[in-house]
Amino acid sequence: QVQLVESGGGLVQPGGSLRLSCAASGRAFRVNGMGWHRQTPGKERELVATITSGGTTNYADSVKGRFTISRDNAKNTVYLQMNSLKPEDTAVYYCDADVYEVAFGGVHYWGTGTLVTVSS
């Protein structure tokens, strides 16, 4: 199986920046699309941004112009650069990936999440 491990969350003041990372690890796999979602208590998980293996990106309207998703295919890692953070960006951020594994075929994985808190 493949594991997704996020890092980079924390507490930041409004207007500040954070960079999240998510690394995929395992055996005999290929990572296709990757992305970030977020969730706050009592609300459904929502899409933040996605990126294909070729680098095509997609963003939620609420983060366009402030967040940038990127990836390093050699490291099987996806990043989310978050600038001009607002209190409403406070959430648990989850990495996800569409993975092809030799043993299992196509599988969708989720990370365990990293908390981002935007507060003064």
Side-chain angles (χ1 to χ4, degrees):
Q1 289 189 335
V2 172
Q3 291 78 43
L4 300 179
V5 179
E6 300 111 331
S7 61
L11 173 64
V12 63
Q13 292 186 344
S17 298
L18 279 177
R19 188 192 194 208
L20 305 183
S21 300
C22 173
S25 62
R27 297 185 65 182
F29 70 99
R30 180 184 72 243
V31 181
N32 296 318
M34 303 185 81
W36 292 93
H37 289 67
R38 66 187 181 186
Q39 189 171 23
T40 55
K43 293 187 177 181
E44 293 187 358
R45 193 171 295 187
E46 64 174 3
L47 171 74
V48 175
T50 61
I51 185 167
T52 67
S53 57
T56 300
T57 59
N58 179 57
Y59 295 93
D61 288 342
S62 59
V63 306
K64 282 182 180 177
R66 300 188 297 121
F67 291 10
T68 302
I69 189 171
S70 61
R71 63 189 288 170
D72 184 331
N73 290 332
K75 297 180 179 180
N76 290 318
T77 299
V78 63
Y79 306 96
L80 186 68
Q81 177 66 45
M82 305 184 293
N83 298 328
S84 301
L85 282 161
K86 304 175 181 180
E88 51 263 44
D89 294 318
T90 296
V92 177
Y93 284 71
Y94 296 90
C95 165
D96 68 300
D98 289 315
V99 176
Y100 176 81
E101 295 180 83
V102 173
F104 304 109
V107 182
H108 187 77
Y109 285 97
W110 289 93
T112 57
T114 185
L115 177 62
V116 172
T117 303
V118 184
S119 176
S120 55

